Every structure is written in C-alpha cells, then in structure tokens.
Amino acid sequence: MLVIRRELVDAMVAHARRDHPDEACGIIAGPEGSDRPERFVAMDNAERSPTFYRFDSAEQLRVWREMDRNDEVPVVVYHSHTATEAYPSRTDVSLASEPDAHYVLVSTRDPERDEVRSYRIVDGVVTEEPVEVVESYMFSHTGADDTPDRR
Amino acid sequence: MAVTVSIPTILRTHTGGQKSVEAAGDTLAKVIDDLEANHGGLKARLVKEGSLHRFVNIYVNDEDVRFSGGLDAAVKDGDTVTILPAVAGG
C-alpha cells in the first residue's frame, strides 16, 4: 500500500496536467527505510514526448546525489500517460529499475477526471497496490485495525 | 589506478549488497572488465553488443560518458564512476 499526503498527489496531478499532452515524470524522495514520500521533485522529460519519458541524465545524477547526501531514496517514481489508462505499459515494465519504489501512474486522458494508481514493478511483474491519501502522516495508520489493542 | 564505483540498488545483488566498490582501469571499458572479474554478471547489465546499454547511465565524476567517449572514456586514479539505471518508460 502507498500512504501519501494529499498535497503530494495534487502536485503530481498538477505537473501531469501542465505538461499534457507530453508525459510528465518525477520522484518523491523520502527517508531511507521509511517508505514515506516527503520531498516532491518534478523532473524534466528529456524525450518531451506524448508516448515516452526519460529523466534527463544530468538532472538525475544531481537529484540522486542529493538523495544520497540526505539518506533519502526515491519512495515514489511517477509519470503520466496522456492518452491511455494509468496502468504500466510494456516499456514501463521492461525498464523499471527501482524495485523498492512505488511506481505511480497519473492519467490525463480525461480532462475532467484524475486517475492516480500505484504499482510495484519487480523483475517484470506488476502488482497494483491501494493508495491511501492522508492529510498528515502523523494521524495516518497503515493497518486495517484502528481501535486500540486490548490488554 | 583505483576508482570508486557507485552501484545502484538493482545491481547490488552482484556486489554482495555493497553500495560502492573499488575497481581499476584507465578507460571505462577496462574498469568494467575489472568489475566483472570481481563481481560476475555486472558487465552484461552495462554493456550490450560492445556498447553501453541504452538505458543505463554511467558518469565519470559529473560527466555522462555518452558525451565523453562512451566505453573509451578516460578514467583517472581517484575518479568516481556512478552507475544509474535510466528512469524511463512509455
């Protein structure tokens, strides 16, 4: 499951809408081991294409070094599909290189309705996961059980 | 000629989990051959049919080697070689 703050979801959707009809892409960094997306980083799509995306290599090196310095990892890797559903394409699956990341797909095919879905992509296998949008991580819970344990 | 090579998460299975390893060589091609000698399987992930894999970025210090000679890029003692899989898709 991906637990993510609303403002971060809004930021991904806004970026995808802004770059439409080209695909938009970026990451949300978070502390290593936390699985908590915190720091939104919109990346340039070096391909500037409606059907393909690739992080600019110089920008990627800069952002990855910055994460290393901060003990962060790319908790979320996102990109948009501008004419198809928010589901990983064959290319997305074959090129997925961050086994620990949540791959978030935003579809902008419908101008009225936002589609945001999340996946794990490991060794060519796509697994969709629920997305829980929260106002704050402090009050979110990741389990199904929100009543206090009985002693 | 020792250089430090930074290994991305997805390739750390070849380095016993290590984030960075040492290697030797005065060109990127030689550094990769030296990596392969100590961490078998890495070369096939970086090089395809005699040239750099299209979806792997390799940097010598801050320079993407695509713009500085590819596998022939010069590497000096003390340089840092960074391997980053391209983040790309359709």
Side-chain angles (χ1 to χ4, degrees), chain A residues 23 27 32 47 51-58 60-61 64-65 68 71 77 79-81 89 91-92 95-100 103 105, chain B residues 6 8-12 19 45 53-64 66-67 80-90:
Chain A
E23 293 192 7
I27 62 149
E32 197 171 358
E47 303 286 328
T51 55
F52 200 74
Y53 80 98
R54 179 176 185 148
F55 287 5
D56 174 79
S57 76
Q60 189 186 346
L61 179 66
W64 256 245
R65 287 226 173 116
D68 266 352
D71 293 317
V77 174
H79 77 282
S80 64
H81 283 174
S89 65
T91 321
D92 293 335
L95 296 179
S97 55
E98 293 289 346
D100 300 326
Y103 279 89
L105 273 287
Chain B
S6 159
T9 313
I10 198 165
L11 298 182
R12 287 180 200 155
K19 281 183 168 185
R45 306 293 295 272
H53 197 294
R54 192 174 152 215
F55 290 105
V56 177
N57 300 329
I58 301 186
Y59 311 83
V60 174
N61 302 324
D62 290 338
E63 185 83 33
D64 183 336
R66 257 183 212 94
F67 309 111
T80 299
V81 173
T82 304
I83 303 169
L84 287 184
V87 180

